[in-house]
Amino acid sequence: MREKLEALRDEALEKVKQAEDKKALQEVRVAYLGKKGPITEVLRGMGKLSAEERPVIGQMANDVRDVIKEQVDSKESALEEAAIEAQLASESIDVTLPGRPVQAGSTHPLTAVVEEVEDAFIGLGFSVAEGPEIETDYYNFEALNLPKDHPARDMQDSFYFTEELLLRTHTSPVQARTMERYQGKGPVKVICPGKVFRRDDDDATHSHQFMQIEGLYVDENVRMSDLKGVLETFAKSFFGAEREIRLRPSFFPFTEPSVEVDVSCGMCGGHGCRICKHSGWIEVLGAGMVHPRVLEMSGFDSTKYSGFAFGMGVERLAMLKYDIDDIRHFYTNDVRFLAQFKRN
Ligand code: DAH
């Protein structure tokens, strides 16, 4: 009996040792400690033993059962611990690994120019106004002193939807819309950036869609010298303090008198070079004193109020400032071009 119990114990402990998972361990537990297991059997057969042997074998059977149970239990917790360790190891993150680089975008050069121009004029007391890109014939032309059949309409080939609706050809209609909102009471002091559209064949300097920034200042006693002062301040802040401007007489139906404004060439300092076609000057915008009829049509008394207006092309400003040779770069979205305008 004694040997049989010892053999059982050794056999069970060996199987515990070999069990590689909880399932195998459970099989050992059932086989040796279960109700139909060999130890239970020994305990059941105790009745056949002599009175001296009975307590000894009984004690021994209990000890063997306890040892097996203890080993099964400790092996079970060891297996559980190992499983947790394995899971932790497989899920661990190496926080010292370098991260994957994130591709950050950059501000589009046209957006950057618009923001810079806005900042310059906000600093001079202007606010920003906007208008619709689909415009009526009235605001795009008539309210700007361009009645139907006026020959100056040919200066801007247009995309029409209907007789009365078109894609705006310039940002000047925002002048009329803004003045109407002020209901004849100045001062009006706004700049209006936005997209404009013209039926043009695209090439290095023309695009059927581009951007303009309009300016309008209406108040009592606004004079041409105010226009010149504001534009000079702007040109020096945008292009550089050493730059000069000059005004040349021109014609726009919505201003009288009208001027074209040049800035001194940044390449040659005004001495003449290839960039400025040897004139020393580069044209940057159109401007003038708001025509009395434009003031009147938008509800302002032209005997009391006067104003100046100007309009400039954003692409042109950007091309001059960043030395870009083709307007199409702004719209073809080549990241090699765009990435050069990363701001820090
Ligand atoms: N609207 C003109 C154009 O697109 C630009 C312009 C010229 C705007 C003179 C003005 C201005 O406000 O006074 O060609």
Side-chain angles (χ1 to χ4, degrees):
M1 216 33 143
R2 193 184 293 270
E3 289 85 46
K4 193 181 167 194
L5 278 171
E6 278 172 354
L8 266 174
R9 185 194 62 202
D10 293 347
E11 190 185 295
L13 294 186
E14 183 58 27
K15 286 200 172 152
V16 168
K17 212 189 256 175
Q18 282 170 9
E20 278 173 0
D21 53 33
K22 284 179 82 172
K23 183 164 171 276
L25 201 59
Q26 184 60 14
E27 277 165 13
V28 176
R29 190 195 291 277
V30 170
Y32 288 89
L33 305 174
K35 285 204 172 63
K36 290 174 188 154
I39 295 175
T40 314
E41 203 173 300
V42 167
L43 290 170
R44 265 198 208 116
M46 294 269 288
K48 291 182 200 132
L49 296 175
S50 66
E52 306 88 73
E53 265 190 320
R54 207 176 291 155
V56 181
I57 296 299
Q59 179 64 48
M60 196 177 165
N62 281 335
D63 288 350
V64 167
R65 191 191 53 200
D66 290 349
V67 158
I68 295 173
K69 188 169 179 302
E70 188 192 300
Q71 289 299 306
V72 167
D73 287 349
S74 84
K75 177 80 185 234
E76 185 166 43
S77 30
L79 283 175
E80 275 168 6
E81 216 159 278
I84 290 170
E85 287 296 328
Q87 188 181 5
L88 282 177
S90 76
E91 287 175 1
S92 76
I93 298 167
D94 182 353
V95 293
T96 67
L97 274 178
R100 294 192 187 91
V102 177
Q103 278 277 357
S106 48
T107 308
H108 194 280
L110 295 180
T111 307
V113 166
V114 168
E115 285 175 358
E116 192 181 338
V117 174
E118 282 178 357
D119 285 348
F121 282 100
I122 286 168
L124 294 171
F126 286 73
S127 55
V128 178
E130 287 186 344
E133 288 168 12
I134 296 176
E135 192 49 282
T136 60
D137 185 274
Y138 175 77
Y139 285 114
N140 196 79
F141 292 125
E142 283 196 52
L144 298 168
N145 197 28
L146 271 151
K148 287 200 163 62
D149 303 323
H150 191 291
R153 284 195 179 201
D154 291 347
M155 288 164 74
Q156 302 175 355
D157 273 327
S158 323
F159 290 114
Y160 274 92
F161 295 103
T162 66
E163 287 269 300
E164 291 304 320
L165 279 182
L166 71 157
L167 287 171
R168 68 179 177 194
T169 56
H170 50 181
T171 44
S172 302
V174 188
Q175 287 187 33
R177 286 180 174 277
T178 306
M179 280 191 280
E180 280 186 5
R181 275 199 290 117
Y182 280 74
Q183 302 190 314
K185 273 191 70 177
V188 182
K189 211 172 174 186
V190 290
I191 55 161
C192 328
K195 292 193 191 82
V196 301
F197 308 83
R198 290 194 196 169
R199 246 176 45 204
D200 244 338
D201 289 327
D202 292 6
D203 61 26
T205 53
H206 295 82
S207 172
H208 61 283
Q209 180 199 305
F210 56 103
M211 291 190 80
Q212 283 187 339
I213 298 176
E214 193 80 12
L216 175 69
Y217 178 27
V218 177
D219 203 352
E220 293 174 34
N221 302 316
V222 175
R223 295 160 304 175
M224 191 115 184
S225 51
D226 297 317
L227 170 66
K228 190 173 181 190
V230 163
L231 292 179
E232 187 171 292
T233 304
F234 163 69
K236 285 180 183 293
S237 105
F238 187 81
F239 289 111
E242 73 289 356
R243 307 290 280 269
E244 303 290 336
I245 64 164
R246 77 172 179 188
L247 274 49
R248 278 181 293 110
S250 183
F251 170 78
F252 298 102
F254 27 91
T255 44
E256 181 58 38
S258 303
V259 291
E260 254 154 354
V261 180
D262 298 340
V263 61
S264 58
C265 181
M267 199 62 103
C268 59
H271 300 298
C273 68
R274 188 181 49 84
I275 299 295
C276 58
K277 300 199 185 88
H278 304 284
S279 71
W281 297 95
I282 296 169
E283 186 192 322
V284 286
L285 56 90
M289 300 309 289
V290 181
H291 197 292
R293 290 185 56 183
V294 172
L295 290 172
E296 295 285 345
M297 274 188 281
S298 294
F300 276 78
D301 180 350
S302 65
T303 62
K304 186 174 168 203
Y305 285 103
S306 56
F308 67 70
F310 56 87
M312 50 197 166
V314 177
E315 283 79 355
R316 188 162 167 75
L317 290 179
M319 289 168 85
L320 291 172
K321 183 163 174 133
Y322 300 121
D323 199 14
I324 296 164
D325 61 3
D326 194 317
I327 197 171
R328 289 166 294 199
H329 285 313
F330 294 117
Y331 300 104
T332 41
N333 288 332
D334 184 333
V335 288
R336 291 168 302 180
F337 171 75
L338 298 172
Q340 296 174 50
F341 299 92
K342 282 212 162 74
R343 290 192 285 191
N344 300 319

